[in-house]
Amino acid sequence: MFNNVSIKSRLMFVISLLSVLLIGVGGLGIYGLNQTNDSFKGVYEDRAVPLGDLALIVDRMQRIRLNTALASYSRNAEIVKQRKELTSQRDAEITATWQKYLATNLTSIEKTLIESFNQGWREFVEARERTMSSALAGHYDAAITNYDGEVSRKYDAAHATLFKLLELQRDEGTKEFGIAQNNYENIFITSVTVITLGILLAAVIGFLLIRAIIGPLNEAVAVANAVASGDLTSRIEVNSNDEIGRLLHALKTMNDNLADLVGKVRIGTDQITTASSEIASGNSDLSQRTEEQASSLEETASSMEELTS
């Protein structure tokens, strides 16, 4: 399938794949960090901070109740005025803190408790104001009676609702922390799985790529060594069109051309050897005939000498 794909393209594919895996793992890690950060941010902003705000409101409510009690039991107009002024300051602090709390992310249960607290707080403020008014008017017995009765009941009701809100913050914070922890574990497991699969995939692709490069390259080296040692009988098969495939094709062409050239030289050498043999044979025949002629001449000369003697 990849025989016709160049080595450059294969390397670019592997690098691109590893880059995508790296980006994916990095993106997953960033996503996990953002999710964890959002979860813990929610726990802090919507649970931890409101818990402190509600605790502050509880403290200010207790101070208001104490101011109301001191204004009622002091039987002193100056103290009543001071406590009235301090109560107004505490009211302003409670209002500001309460509005800050209402701006957080509220659950449906919280909203129900908030409505209940608002109602209870209004009733407590009304009862408290009647007590303060009686004390300011010098009706201390009426103020004490109202404080011990209506004010205490209204305070206890509002205070109980506020404590339910405090407990709810704790419970919701615990639940949201558990969700954040679960998200972290899921993202951690997913990240480890993706990294492991990425490493395995990279190892497999790397192994296949190395084998695809080293195998044909070793074959090319073997062919070159065979040619260098004078062996031109190597059978070269080219199964790809990549860089190494083109190298093998060039070696095959070189090997075939060398084999053809050596064959032609061998044929020429054989022809020269045959011609040399024929020339040598002709020379031998010529020498024999020359010797025969010389022998005939000697015989002729001898005969002539006999005739002349």
Side-chain angles (χ1 to χ4, degrees):
M1 177 179 179
F2 296 103
N3 289 337
N4 296 325
V5 180
S6 66
I7 295 176
K8 176 183 177 182
S9 298
R10 296 180 197 177
L11 291 174
M12 290 181 63
F13 170 75
V14 172
I15 293 173
S16 300
L17 179 62
L18 293 178
S19 298
V20 170
L21 287 174
L22 182 61
I23 293 172
V25 172
L28 183 62
I30 293 173
Y31 170 77
L33 288 175
N34 287 333
Q35 288 292 102
T36 303
N37 180 68
D38 291 342
S39 298
F40 285 112
K41 182 179 179 182
V43 171
Y44 172 74
E45 293 182 350
D46 297 329
R47 301 302 160 213
V49 173
L51 194 63
D53 292 338
L54 292 174
L56 178 64
I57 292 174
V58 169
D59 176 75
R60 296 302 183 262
M61 285 180 62
Q62 291 173 344
R63 291 175 183 270
I64 289 174
R65 183 180 185 181
L66 178 61
N67 289 333
T68 306
L70 291 174
S72 301
Y73 283 94
S74 66
R75 297 180 182 274
N76 185 307
E78 188 63 29
I79 293 177
V80 173
K81 290 180 181 180
Q82 291 176 356
R83 295 300 165 178
K84 174 67 174 175
E85 183 178 349
L86 289 174
T87 297
S88 298
Q89 294 175 4
R90 301 295 176 255
D91 278 337
E93 292 176 358
I94 288 176
T95 299
T97 306
W98 185 248
Q99 292 302 317
K100 179 183 174 184
Y101 165 66
L102 293 179
T104 61
N105 186 27
L106 304 173
T107 66
S108 58
I109 299 176
E110 270 185 294
K111 292 177 181 179
T112 301
L113 290 174
I114 286 171
E115 292 178 1
S116 177
F117 175 77
N118 284 334
Q119 179 64 29
W121 176 250
R122 284 193 297 269
E123 293 176 357
F124 167 71
V125 170
E126 291 172 358
R128 182 200 71 198
E129 287 301 312
R130 284 193 291 271
T131 300
M132 283 291 188
S133 297
S134 296
L136 286 171
H139 303 149
Y140 298 112
D141 291 336
I144 292 172
T145 300
N146 192 55
Y147 172 79
D148 290 339
E150 185 180 16
V151 170
S152 295
R153 289 195 305 272
K154 300 299 183 183
Y155 173 85
D156 290 340
H159 189 266
T161 303
L162 197 59
F163 255 89
K164 289 181 181 179
L165 283 171
L166 283 168
E167 292 175 351
L168 182 64
Q169 301 309 309
R170 180 198 63 196
D171 296 340
E172 287 295 321
T174 301
K175 183 173 70 175
E176 290 177 8
F177 176 78
I179 294 174
Q181 189 70 18
N182 186 61
N183 289 337
Y184 163 77
E185 291 175 356
N186 290 336
I187 293 173
F188 176 79
I189 293 173
T190 303
S191 298
V192 171
T193 302
V194 171
I195 291 173
T196 303
L197 292 177
I199 292 174
L200 292 176
L201 181 61
V204 171
I205 293 177
F207 171 76
L208 294 176
L209 181 61
I210 291 173
R211 189 176 68 174
I213 294 174
I214 296 300
L217 192 59
N218 287 335
E219 183 180 353
V221 171
V223 170
N225 288 332
V227 172
S229 63
D231 182 8
L232 301 178
T233 61
S234 300
R235 182 178 180 83
I236 304 174
E237 294 184 0
V238 181
N239 298 318
S240 65
N241 291 326
D242 58 10
E243 291 83 351
I244 296 179
R246 293 196 293 272
L247 174 62
L248 286 173
H249 186 270
L251 288 173
K252 182 177 184 300
T253 301
M254 181 188 71
N255 188 75
D256 292 343
N257 290 338
L258 285 174
D260 183 62
L261 178 61
V262 169
K264 290 179 180 179
V265 170
R266 184 174 297 167
I267 292 173
T269 301
D270 291 341
Q271 291 175 348
I272 292 173
T273 301
T274 301
S276 297
S277 298
E278 291 176 352
I279 291 172
S281 178
N283 289 335
S284 178
D285 291 341
L286 179 61
S287 177
Q288 184 178 0
R289 287 196 297 270
T290 301
E291 290 177 356
E292 291 176 353
Q293 290 177 358
S295 177
S296 297
L297 288 174
E298 288 179 357
E299 290 177 356
T300 302
S302 177
S303 297
M304 290 181 67
E305 286 179 359
E306 290 177 356
L307 289 175
T308 57
S309 61

